[in-house]
Amino acid sequence: MSISRRKFLAWLGAAGIGSMVSRDAGASSNKHFRGYPKSSGVLYDMTRCVGCRECEAACNKVNSLPAPDKPFNDLTVLNTKRRTGTDAYTVVNKYSGTRHDGPVFRKIQCNHCLEPACASVCFVRALKKTKSGPVTYDESVCVGCRYCMVACPFDIPAYEYNEPLTPRVLKCTMCAPRIEKGQLPGCVEACPKEALTFGHRDDLIKIARKRIRKYPERYKDHIYGEHEMGGTSWLYLSPVPFKEVGMREDLGETPAPSLTSGALSIVPMVVGLWPVLLAGVYGITKRKEKIAMEEQQTAVAEATEKADHEAHLKLEAAMGKAKKDKETAIEKAIKKALEDVAGAEPDKEDS
């Protein structure tokens, strides 16, 4: 980012943008948003997933993420429960010991809620729900408050703690740039077993219900994401109860903004005052730093003056001692010369 967060917050408070942003945050309404018409989504069918990790490799490539410690064809990583992070927007975990014959694989990524909790608490609107389906992130306005990480019920957003200057909040974007170009999300395009289906969310729900009706012995009669937290753009079908593959079943159907509307009703005041408070703290800090710098400079000057004075005294003492030693040496030399002369005079009389 071209400006520091402190400058941004100071400007935000000075311009009064905080109150305006909170009014547009979309978190103060109790109206249940059913999603944008014809918005996109992804249906993930766990019964078709074989844990090949091709989706992980595709996500890594599309988003230009750093290479993992172990190659994507190393399936031993499936034995360890993993979560998404700044270097992995999607991961696949294996669940054994379920009610299903054999292991069940679950793909994890941002669920792109219809009314995202992350966006509802973001007072600068760095996170937005787009009409096409994805929840996108604008790093240029993010102030690093990390409220989105706390708010997300799926524990998805990750923070770049290893970037001290320009840290970002990173997560799956559902390949929004590719969708805009008419392309499939990277993971969907790469899946060799068609465990991932991309399309309009309404159509995906119809597909999921059709599969459940046709193969009732194969699927649990539940489309995860159809109603959870008001609905998500990422939908799931599973052969076992979702809690057996680590998915929350306690979320209910109430959208996040409805749950946060009471707490966020004071956001206009908080957001308006917070930058001013931080600006004041920043000013006090800079003042303290200035005073400390002046005190340090004064102390250095006094120490230098004292050292110069002591050095001058030592030099005068050394010069005085040298002068005295020289005078003493001259006196000794003269005395010795006189003694030598006096000792030589009788010899001249005898001659």
Side-chain angles (χ1 to χ4, degrees):
M1 301 186 323
S2 59
I3 62 173
S4 68
R5 287 192 172 86
R6 285 176 174 171
K7 287 183 178 179
F8 172 80
L9 290 171
W11 294 348
L12 183 65
I17 296 176
S19 297
M20 179 186 70
V21 171
S22 62
R23 287 197 298 269
D24 295 335
S28 59
S29 172
N30 288 322
K31 184 179 179 181
H32 187 176
F33 178 61
R34 297 292 179 179
Y36 293 107
K38 300 297 182 180
S39 66
S40 302
V42 178
L43 173 63
Y44 173 54
D45 191 333
M46 297 185 199
T47 67
R48 299 185 179 188
C49 182
V50 294
C52 64
R53 300 184 67 202
E54 289 294 330
C55 57
E56 291 187 34
C59 178
N60 181 277
K61 181 179 180 181
V62 168
N63 294 287
S64 301
L65 300 176
D69 295 333
K70 294 182 179 180
F72 289 107
N73 58 6
D74 185 348
L75 302 185
T76 60
V77 299
L78 298 175
N79 297 323
T80 302
K81 295 299 179 289
R82 298 174 296 153
R83 60 151 291 169
T84 58
T86 57
D87 56 354
Y89 296 169
T90 186
V91 296
V92 177
N93 284 337
K94 181 173 69 174
Y95 297 85
S96 302
T98 64
R99 304 178 193 181
H100 186 261
D101 295 335
V104 177
F105 300 95
R106 171 196 163 200
K107 181 180 182 297
I108 305 171
Q109 73 296 304
C110 175
N111 288 319
H112 300 276
C113 304
L114 299 185
E115 294 188 81
C118 58
S120 73
V121 298
C122 183
F123 60 85
V124 294
R125 302 201 67 176
L127 290 153
K128 296 180 182 179
K129 177 67 175 181
T130 63
K131 292 184 178 181
S132 59
V135 175
T136 59
Y137 168 72
D138 184 355
E139 64 182 83
S140 67
V141 298
C142 178
V143 297
C145 66
R146 286 166 282 175
Y147 291 160
C148 55
M149 297 175 63
V150 177
C152 179
F154 303 107
D155 194 26
I156 293 298
Y159 190 71
E160 287 184 311
Y161 291 100
N162 59 335
E163 291 289 342
L165 299 179
T166 57
R168 298 169 295 171
V169 174
L170 299 177
K171 69 174 191 65
C172 158
T173 64
M174 209 161 86
C175 291
R178 290 174 61 89
I179 293 176
E180 292 177 0
K181 298 177 182 178
Q183 299 175 314
L184 294 173
C187 58
V188 176
E189 187 176 69
C191 183
K193 296 297 183 179
E194 297 184 353
L196 297 168
T197 305
F198 176 81
H200 293 148
R201 183 176 183 272
D202 293 339
D203 295 336
L204 296 177
I205 292 175
K206 293 177 183 178
I207 293 173
R209 287 175 179 165
K210 183 177 179 180
R211 291 183 186 179
I212 293 173
R213 286 196 303 268
K214 189 174 182 178
Y215 304 102
E217 73 286 351
R218 180 184 300 179
Y219 299 101
K220 298 299 295 183
D221 188 9
H222 182 184
I223 305 173
Y224 194 98
E226 182 179 8
H227 301 296
E228 276 76 11
M229 293 299 294
T232 63
S233 293
W234 207 279
L235 305 167
Y236 299 80
L237 287 176
S238 173
V240 299
F242 288 97
K243 64 181 179 181
E244 293 189 11
V245 290
M247 299 178 71
R248 294 183 61 178
E249 293 187 335
D250 61 341
L251 298 175
E253 300 181 2
T254 305
S258 298
L259 298 173
T260 57
S261 60
L264 293 181
S265 62
I266 62 170
V267 166
M269 177 181 66
V270 174
V271 175
L273 294 178
W274 181 43
V276 177
L277 175 61
L278 290 185
V281 173
Y282 176 71
I284 293 173
T285 302
K286 295 302 293 184
R287 175 62 179 166
K288 290 175 64 177
E289 291 176 355
K290 182 179 179 181
I291 294 174
M293 180 70 72
E294 292 175 350
E295 291 178 347
Q296 183 180 16
Q297 292 175 347
T298 301
V300 171
E302 291 177 351
T304 301
E305 183 179 356
K306 182 179 180 181
D308 290 343
H309 181 66
E310 292 178 352
H312 182 69
L313 293 177
K314 289 181 180 180
L315 179 60
E316 287 185 343
M319 291 178 65
K321 184 176 184 299
K323 182 178 180 181
K324 185 175 180 179
D325 291 344
K326 182 177 180 181
E327 292 175 350
T328 301
I330 291 173
E331 290 176 357
K332 287 183 178 180
I334 293 174
K335 182 178 180 180
K336 186 175 183 303
L338 292 175
E339 290 177 352
D340 291 342
V341 171
E345 287 180 354
D347 293 336
K348 291 179 180 179
E349 292 177 358
D350 293 340
S351 59

